[in-house]
Amino acid sequence: MVRDQAESLRLRVKKMQHETETKAIAVLSGKGGVGKSNVSLNFSLALRQRGKNVLLFDMDIGMGNIDILLGQTSSHTIIDIFRPNVTIHDIIKTGPENLSFIAGGTGLTDIFHMDEQKVQYFIEQLQLVSEQYDYIIFDMGAGMSEDRLQLLKAVDDIFIVTTPEPTALTDAYATMKYIHLADHQLPIYVLVNRARSDKEGIETLQRLKQVAKRFLGKELHALGYVPEDRTVSNAVIRQTPFLLFDPSAKASKAVIQMTERYLANEEHKEQMKRPFHFFAKLRQYFLER
Ligand SMILES: Nc1ncnc2c1ncn2[C@@H]1O[C@H](COP(=O)(O)OP(=O)(O)OP(=O)(O)O)[C@@H](O)[C@H]1O
Ligand SMILES: [Mg+2]
Protein backbone atom coordinates (compact mmCIF):
# COMPACT_ATOMS: atom_id res chain seq x y z
CA MET A 1 0.00 0.00 0.00
CA VAL A 2 2.69 2.44 1.03
CA ARG A 3 4.79 1.38 -1.92
CA ASP A 4 1.82 1.88 -4.25
CA GLN A 5 1.37 5.37 -2.95
CA ALA A 6 5.03 6.16 -3.36
CA GLU A 7 4.93 4.78 -6.88
CA SER A 8 1.90 6.80 -7.89
CA LEU A 9 3.50 9.89 -6.41
CA ARG A 10 6.64 9.26 -8.42
CA LEU A 11 4.61 8.85 -11.59
CA ARG A 12 2.74 12.04 -10.93
CA VAL A 13 5.95 13.92 -10.28
CA LYS A 14 7.32 12.62 -13.56
CA LYS A 15 4.21 13.67 -15.41
CA MET A 16 4.32 17.14 -13.97
CA GLN A 17 7.94 17.61 -14.86
CA HIS A 18 7.09 17.19 -18.49
CA GLU A 19 3.83 18.98 -18.75
CA THR A 20 3.98 22.25 -16.89
CA GLU A 21 6.11 25.30 -17.10
CA THR A 22 4.35 27.26 -14.41
CA LYS A 23 6.57 29.17 -12.03
CA ALA A 24 5.72 29.72 -8.39
CA ILE A 25 7.08 32.82 -6.66
CA ALA A 26 6.73 33.61 -2.95
CA VAL A 27 6.91 37.25 -1.86
CA LEU A 28 7.88 37.70 1.77
CA SER A 29 9.68 39.98 4.19
CA GLY A 30 10.95 39.81 7.71
CA LYS A 31 9.28 42.88 9.11
CA GLY A 32 5.61 43.53 8.36
CA GLY A 33 4.27 46.52 6.49
CA VAL A 34 7.26 46.96 4.16
CA GLY A 35 5.18 46.70 0.97
CA LYS A 36 4.82 42.99 0.10
CA SER A 37 1.19 43.21 -0.93
CA ASN A 38 1.70 46.30 -3.06
CA VAL A 39 4.77 44.80 -4.68
CA SER A 40 3.06 41.42 -5.30
CA LEU A 41 0.02 43.04 -6.82
CA ASN A 42 1.77 45.56 -9.03
CA PHE A 43 4.43 43.09 -10.14
CA SER A 44 1.62 40.67 -11.06
CA LEU A 45 -0.09 43.39 -13.09
CA ALA A 46 3.16 44.29 -14.83
CA LEU A 47 3.56 40.60 -15.76
CA ARG A 48 0.01 40.64 -17.14
CA GLN A 49 0.88 43.67 -19.23
CA ARG A 50 3.71 41.61 -20.68
CA GLY A 51 1.22 38.94 -21.70
CA LYS A 52 1.90 36.46 -18.90
CA ASN A 53 -0.94 34.57 -17.26
CA VAL A 54 -0.78 35.22 -13.55
CA LEU A 55 -2.56 33.94 -10.47
CA LEU A 56 -1.97 36.08 -7.40
CA PHE A 57 -2.67 34.17 -4.23
CA ASP A 58 -3.09 36.09 -0.99
CA MET A 59 -1.61 33.74 1.58
CA ASP A 60 -2.09 36.26 4.34
CA ILE A 61 -5.12 34.23 5.25
CA GLY A 62 -7.37 35.86 7.78
CA MET A 63 -5.65 39.24 7.31
CA GLY A 64 -5.59 39.37 3.54
CA ASN A 65 -5.71 42.65 1.74
CA ILE A 66 -5.08 42.07 -1.95
CA ASP A 67 -8.83 42.35 -2.55
CA ILE A 68 -8.88 45.62 -0.60
CA LEU A 69 -5.97 47.02 -2.62
CA LEU A 70 -8.01 46.13 -5.71
CA GLY A 71 -11.23 47.60 -4.36
CA GLN A 72 -12.88 44.26 -5.07
CA THR A 73 -13.77 42.70 -1.76
CA SER A 74 -14.25 39.08 -2.55
CA SER A 75 -17.13 37.01 -1.25
CA HIS A 76 -15.02 33.88 -1.49
CA THR A 77 -11.64 33.18 0.02
CA ILE A 78 -9.50 30.08 -0.10
CA ILE A 79 -11.09 28.82 3.10
CA ASP A 80 -14.44 28.49 1.29
CA ILE A 81 -12.98 25.76 -0.83
CA PHE A 82 -13.99 23.32 1.90
CA ARG A 83 -17.64 24.27 1.68
CA PRO A 84 -19.87 22.00 -0.33
CA ASN A 85 -20.40 22.99 -3.95
CA VAL A 86 -17.57 25.50 -3.94
CA THR A 87 -14.70 24.78 -6.31
CA ILE A 88 -11.42 26.54 -6.95
CA HIS A 89 -13.11 28.20 -9.94
CA ASP A 90 -15.53 30.00 -7.63
CA ILE A 91 -12.66 31.27 -5.54
CA ILE A 92 -10.50 32.66 -8.31
CA LYS A 93 -11.59 36.20 -9.09
CA THR A 94 -10.66 38.35 -12.04
CA GLY A 95 -9.12 41.74 -11.34
CA PRO A 96 -7.89 44.51 -13.63
CA GLU A 97 -5.77 43.50 -16.64
CA ASN A 98 -7.52 40.13 -16.34
CA LEU A 99 -5.37 39.26 -13.37
CA SER A 100 -6.59 36.15 -11.55
CA PHE A 101 -6.47 36.36 -7.79
CA ILE A 102 -7.48 34.47 -4.69
CA ALA A 103 -8.39 36.65 -1.72
CA GLY A 104 -7.03 35.98 1.74
CA GLY A 105 -10.17 37.14 3.50
CA THR A 106 -10.65 38.01 7.11
CA GLY A 107 -11.17 35.60 9.97
CA LEU A 108 -8.99 33.40 12.02
CA THR A 109 -8.54 30.27 9.97
CA ASP A 110 -5.06 29.38 8.87
CA ILE A 111 -4.60 27.11 5.93
CA PHE A 112 -1.47 25.75 7.57
CA HIS A 113 -3.40 24.40 10.51
CA MET A 114 -5.73 22.22 8.55
CA ASP A 115 -5.84 18.47 8.74
CA GLU A 116 -4.08 16.36 6.17
CA GLN A 117 -7.14 15.52 4.13
CA LYS A 118 -7.99 19.16 3.69
CA VAL A 119 -4.46 20.11 2.75
CA GLN A 120 -4.45 17.32 0.21
CA TYR A 121 -7.70 18.58 -1.26
CA PHE A 122 -6.42 22.13 -1.33
CA ILE A 123 -3.27 21.10 -3.20
CA GLU A 124 -5.28 19.08 -5.69
CA GLN A 125 -7.62 21.96 -6.40
CA LEU A 126 -4.79 24.40 -6.85
CA GLN A 127 -3.01 22.02 -9.14
CA LEU A 128 -6.15 21.72 -11.22
CA VAL A 129 -5.87 25.31 -12.33
CA SER A 130 -2.12 25.83 -12.17
CA GLU A 131 -1.45 24.78 -15.74
CA GLN A 132 -3.34 27.77 -17.07
CA TYR A 133 -0.82 30.07 -15.50
CA ASP A 134 2.71 31.10 -16.29
CA TYR A 135 3.17 32.44 -12.77
CA ILE A 136 1.57 31.76 -9.41
CA ILE A 137 2.56 34.51 -7.00
CA PHE A 138 2.08 34.04 -3.28
CA ASP A 139 1.83 37.13 -1.11
CA MET A 140 3.01 35.42 2.04
CA GLY A 141 2.13 37.92 4.75
CA ALA A 142 4.38 38.31 7.77
CA GLY A 143 5.57 35.54 10.05
CA MET A 144 7.26 32.20 9.62
CA SER A 145 6.49 28.64 10.67
CA GLU A 146 7.60 25.15 9.71
CA ASP A 147 4.62 24.71 7.37
CA ARG A 148 5.18 28.08 5.78
CA LEU A 149 8.80 27.15 5.22
CA GLN A 150 7.67 24.02 3.38
CA LEU A 151 5.63 26.08 0.98
CA LEU A 152 8.64 28.34 0.47
CA LYS A 153 10.86 25.35 -0.21
CA ALA A 154 8.44 24.25 -2.91
CA VAL A 155 8.45 27.49 -4.92
CA ASP A 156 10.85 28.33 -7.74
CA ASP A 157 11.85 31.83 -6.64
CA ILE A 158 11.78 33.77 -3.40
CA PHE A 159 11.34 37.54 -3.40
CA ILE A 160 12.33 39.26 -0.19
CA VAL A 161 11.00 42.78 0.23
CA THR A 162 12.63 45.20 2.65
CA THR A 163 12.86 48.92 3.24
CA PRO A 164 16.24 50.60 3.85
CA GLU A 165 15.52 50.87 7.60
CA PRO A 166 17.91 48.88 9.80
CA THR A 167 15.05 47.08 11.54
CA ALA A 168 13.60 45.87 8.23
CA LEU A 169 17.06 44.97 6.92
CA THR A 170 17.91 42.91 10.00
CA ASP A 171 14.66 40.98 9.65
CA ALA A 172 15.15 40.54 5.91
CA TYR A 173 18.59 39.09 6.55
CA ALA A 174 17.25 36.74 9.26
CA THR A 175 14.55 35.56 6.86
CA MET A 176 16.93 34.87 4.01
CA LYS A 177 19.27 33.06 6.36
CA TYR A 178 16.44 30.83 7.58
CA ILE A 179 15.45 30.00 4.02
CA HIS A 180 19.00 29.55 2.80
CA LEU A 181 19.77 27.11 5.61
CA ALA A 182 16.68 25.12 4.67
CA ASP A 183 17.56 25.07 0.97
CA HIS A 184 20.85 26.33 -0.44
CA GLN A 185 19.68 26.10 -4.05
CA LEU A 186 16.61 28.26 -3.83
CA PRO A 187 17.07 31.49 -5.83
CA ILE A 188 16.55 34.53 -3.60
CA TYR A 189 15.74 37.93 -5.12
CA VAL A 190 15.80 41.09 -3.04
CA LEU A 191 13.79 44.22 -3.55
CA VAL A 192 14.27 47.44 -1.63
CA ASN A 193 11.04 49.38 -1.25
CA ARG A 194 10.58 53.01 -0.20
CA ALA A 195 14.09 54.10 -1.16
CA ARG A 196 14.36 57.85 -0.57
CA SER A 197 17.00 58.30 -3.28
CA ASP A 198 18.63 56.28 -6.04
CA LYS A 199 21.75 56.20 -3.92
CA GLU A 200 19.89 54.74 -0.95
CA GLY A 201 18.24 52.09 -3.14
CA ILE A 202 21.48 51.04 -4.82
CA GLU A 203 23.53 51.05 -1.64
CA THR A 204 20.96 49.05 0.30
CA LEU A 205 20.87 46.40 -2.40
CA GLN A 206 24.65 46.27 -2.50
CA ARG A 207 24.92 45.96 1.24
CA LEU A 208 22.43 43.09 1.36
CA LYS A 209 24.25 41.31 -1.43
CA GLN A 210 27.58 41.71 0.34
CA VAL A 211 26.29 40.51 3.69
CA ALA A 212 24.61 37.44 2.15
CA LYS A 213 27.75 36.60 0.22
CA ARG A 214 30.07 37.05 3.18
CA PHE A 215 28.05 35.36 5.92
CA LEU A 216 25.97 32.83 4.01
CA GLY A 217 28.01 32.30 0.87
CA LYS A 218 24.79 33.11 -0.96
CA GLU A 219 24.59 34.99 -4.24
CA LEU A 220 21.46 37.12 -4.09
CA HIS A 221 19.73 38.48 -7.18
CA ALA A 222 19.01 42.17 -6.92
CA LEU A 223 15.55 42.75 -8.31
CA GLY A 224 15.87 46.49 -7.85
CA TYR A 225 14.38 49.23 -5.73
CA VAL A 226 11.08 51.09 -5.65
CA PRO A 227 11.28 54.72 -4.54
CA GLU A 228 9.31 56.25 -1.73
CA ASP A 229 6.42 57.67 -3.71
CA ARG A 230 3.25 59.34 -2.49
CA THR A 231 1.45 57.81 -5.46
CA VAL A 232 1.59 54.47 -3.64
CA SER A 233 -0.37 55.61 -0.60
CA ASN A 234 -2.73 57.70 -2.74
CA ALA A 235 -3.43 54.63 -4.86
CA VAL A 236 -3.98 52.51 -1.74
CA ILE A 237 -6.55 55.03 -0.52
CA ARG A 238 -8.27 54.97 -3.90
CA GLN A 239 -8.12 51.16 -3.82
CA THR A 240 -6.45 51.11 -7.22
CA PRO A 241 -3.07 49.46 -7.87
CA PHE A 242 -0.49 52.24 -8.30
CA LEU A 243 0.66 50.87 -11.64
CA LEU A 244 -2.82 51.57 -13.05
CA PHE A 245 -3.53 54.66 -10.95
CA ASP A 246 -0.52 56.44 -12.45
CA PRO A 247 1.61 54.41 -14.88
CA SER A 248 4.09 57.26 -15.16
CA ALA A 249 4.70 57.55 -11.39
CA LYS A 250 8.21 56.78 -10.21
CA ALA A 251 7.05 53.70 -8.31
CA SER A 252 5.20 52.39 -11.38
CA LYS A 253 8.20 52.89 -13.63
CA ALA A 254 10.38 51.08 -11.09
CA VAL A 255 8.04 48.07 -10.97
CA ILE A 256 7.92 47.91 -14.77
CA GLN A 257 11.69 48.04 -14.97
CA MET A 258 11.98 45.38 -12.29
CA THR A 259 9.58 43.12 -14.16
CA GLU A 260 11.56 43.53 -17.37
CA ARG A 261 14.75 42.68 -15.52
CA TYR A 262 13.19 39.64 -13.91
CA LEU A 263 11.85 38.37 -17.23
CA ALA A 264 15.19 38.93 -18.95
CA ASN A 265 16.86 36.87 -16.26
CA GLU A 266 14.05 34.30 -16.60
CA GLU A 267 14.51 33.97 -20.32
CA HIS A 268 18.14 33.34 -19.74
CA LYS A 269 17.27 30.63 -17.21
CA GLU A 270 14.72 29.16 -19.64
CA GLN A 271 17.59 27.50 -21.42
CA MET A 272 17.94 25.27 -18.40
CA LYS A 273 14.17 24.58 -18.27
CA ARG A 274 13.69 23.89 -14.62
CA PRO A 275 10.86 21.44 -14.01
CA PHE A 276 7.91 22.56 -11.91
CA HIS A 277 8.21 20.69 -8.64
CA PHE A 278 5.88 22.82 -6.61
CA PHE A 279 2.95 20.48 -6.09
CA ALA A 280 5.06 17.37 -5.80
CA LYS A 281 7.12 18.98 -3.06
CA LEU A 282 4.12 20.31 -1.21
CA ARG A 283 2.33 17.00 -1.37
CA GLN A 284 5.35 15.06 -0.29
CA TYR A 285 5.76 17.17 2.79
CA PHE A 286 2.14 17.23 3.85
CA LEU A 287 1.76 13.49 3.34
CA GLU A 288 4.83 12.70 5.34
CA ARG A 289 4.39 14.99 8.30
N1 LIG B 1 7.04 52.75 -2.32
C1 LIG B 1 6.21 53.27 -1.40
N2 LIG B 1 6.08 54.60 -1.26
C2 LIG B 1 5.25 55.11 -0.32
N3 LIG B 1 4.50 54.39 0.49
C3 LIG B 1 4.56 53.05 0.39
C4 LIG B 1 5.41 52.41 -0.56
N4 LIG B 1 5.26 51.08 -0.42
C5 LIG B 1 4.38 50.89 0.57
N5 LIG B 1 3.94 52.06 1.07
C6 LIG B 1 2.99 52.26 2.18
O1 LIG B 1 3.09 51.16 3.05
C7 LIG B 1 1.81 50.61 3.27
C8 LIG B 1 1.92 49.11 3.51
O2 LIG B 1 2.18 48.44 2.30
P1 LIG B 1 1.73 46.90 2.10
O3 LIG B 1 0.37 46.68 2.59
O4 LIG B 1 2.02 46.56 0.68
O5 LIG B 1 2.78 46.19 3.06
P2 LIG B 1 2.86 44.64 3.48
O6 LIG B 1 4.31 44.31 3.60
O7 LIG B 1 2.04 43.83 2.57
O8 LIG B 1 2.20 44.67 4.94
P3 LIG B 1 1.78 43.38 5.83
O9 LIG B 1 3.05 42.89 6.47
O10 LIG B 1 0.84 43.96 6.83
O11 LIG B 1 1.16 42.39 4.92
C9 LIG B 1 0.99 51.00 2.05
O12 LIG B 1 -0.37 51.06 2.37
C10 LIG B 1 1.56 52.35 1.70
O13 LIG B 1 0.91 53.37 2.43
MG1 LIG C 1 0.44 42.44 3.01
Side-chain angles (χ1 to χ4, degrees), residues 136-149:
I136 302 180
I137 298 177
F138 295 96
D139 173 7
M140 292 301 292
M144 193 58 86
S145 68
E146 175 62 19
D147 287 340
R148 256 161 218 275
L149 179 66

Side-chain angles (χ1 to χ4, degrees), residues 217-229:
K218 176 81 180 174
E219 203 67 64
L220 297 180
H221 303 279
L223 206 53
Y225 58 91
V226 176
E228 171 73 32
D229 184 344

Side-chain angles (χ1 to χ4, degrees), residues 4 16 66 91 99 120 139 278:
D4 279 357
M16 273 182 283
I66 290 293
I91 285 161
L99 170 71
Q120 179 77 359
D139 173 7
F278 180 68

Side-chain angles (χ1 to χ4, degrees), residues 28 50 83 98 129-130 166 173 230:
L28 65 154
R50 291 287 305 263
R83 294 219 319 258
N98 264 325
V129 296
S130 70
Y173 176 74
R230 227 185 298 157

Side-chain angles (χ1 to χ4, degrees), residues 65-103:
N65 46 29
I66 290 293
D67 54 342
I68 300 169
L69 290 178
L70 282 168
Q72 270 181 257
T73 20
S74 175
S75 48
H76 280 118
T77 75
I78 191 64
I79 297 302
D80 294 310
I81 206 169
F82 306 110
R83 294 219 319 258
N85 307 322
V86 177
T87 71
I88 189 101
H89 302 286
D90 301 313
I91 285 161
I92 297 176
K93 299 291 170 212
T94 308
E97 306 284 0
N98 264 325
L99 170 71
S100 298
F101 72 98
I102 298 178

Side-chain angles (χ1 to χ4, degrees), residues 36-37 60 65 139:
K36 292 175 294 298
S37 299
D60 205 349
N65 46 29
D139 173 7

